[in-house]
Amino acid sequence: MNQQRQYMLALVQLLEERSAKDEKASSEASGELAILREAIANAERTALSAITRADASRWALSQAQEVYRCLTSDRQGSSEDAQRPPDKGREQPVTVVRAILDFLGERGKATTGEIVNAVRQTRPAADSSKVNPELTRLCRRGDITRIQTGLYRLTRDTERDVSA
């Protein structure tokens, strides 16, 4: 019996040591896991922030490209007109934009239909479907103002440019 006690005592001591080591390893693993969970949460926040910044950058780039396109197009012609080389020896036809600005300069304000008719009179070969996009572009550029749906007028700065 004495031998059984000694064996059991040794077994208990061995199991106590093993249990203490396992408890320590478990505690360390839990600590590492908490650190890794925090690192993952930080990485997710960083990724979300980067995605948001990338979306904002793409949007800002598209807006800047649009402004640049408007600024580099001929102030008196459409971007399509600005890309065409002038024909030497022939009088240049009035552009759609110039026709719009001149008409609004004479009238003060006009409806889309009146503007389309004026463009057709000035440029019989002009595609009337180009008038609305040019009106939108001129509004965005600040050359004209849409008073209400389908009614436009020159801005003050443009009035001075047209009359000069």
Side-chain angles (χ1 to χ4, degrees):
M1 226 220 234
N2 198 11
Q3 198 174 22
Q4 279 183 336
R5 271 195 211 166
Q6 286 179 343
Y7 176 76
M8 287 308 288
L9 178 61
L11 183 61
V12 167
Q13 288 173 341
L14 181 65
L15 290 173
E16 284 175 343
E17 287 174 18
R18 174 64 58 197
S19 178
K21 284 181 183 178
D22 289 345
E23 191 63 40
K24 182 179 177 188
S26 174
S27 178
E28 288 173 357
S30 293
E32 289 176 15
L33 187 57
I35 291 169
L36 292 172
R37 283 184 178 139
E38 182 62 28
I40 289 170
N42 286 337
E44 287 173 339
R45 284 190 293 271
T46 300
L48 181 59
S49 177
I51 290 166
T52 302
R53 283 192 316 272
D55 289 345
S57 294
R58 272 192 299 278
W59 179 85
L61 173 61
S62 71
Q63 296 303 302
Q65 287 171 331
E66 176 66 18
V67 169
Y68 178 77
R69 186 188 64 75
C70 288
L71 292 175
T72 56
S73 69
D74 182 3
R75 181 157 171 88
Q76 297 169 0
S78 70
S79 55
E80 181 182 302
D81 291 337
Q83 293 171 3
R84 270 193 235 126
D87 291 336
K88 296 193 182 204
R90 283 196 328 184
E91 184 177 320
Q92 295 299 306
V94 175
T95 65
V96 171
V97 170
R98 176 70 352 210
I100 293 169
L101 294 175
D102 288 346
F103 182 69
L104 287 174
E106 295 167 8
R107 292 284 302 266
K109 64 182 177 182
T111 65
T112 305
E114 293 169 331
I115 294 169
V116 168
N117 288 335
V119 169
R120 282 187 189 143
Q121 288 176 3
T122 308
R123 289 191 57 167
D127 182 358
S128 61
S129 69
K130 293 193 184 264
V131 174
N132 275 327
E134 291 298 345
L135 289 170
T136 300
R137 193 172 67 78
L138 288 166
C139 283
R140 285 186 182 148
R141 215 168 64 177
D143 291 332
I144 65 174
T145 302
R146 189 175 77 172
I147 302 168
Q148 65 186 43
T149 303
L151 186 62
Y152 300 88
R153 72 170 175 77
L154 293 177
T155 60
R156 302 270 184 251
D157 290 339
T158 308
E159 284 175 3
R160 279 182 243 135
D161 291 346
V162 169
S163 63

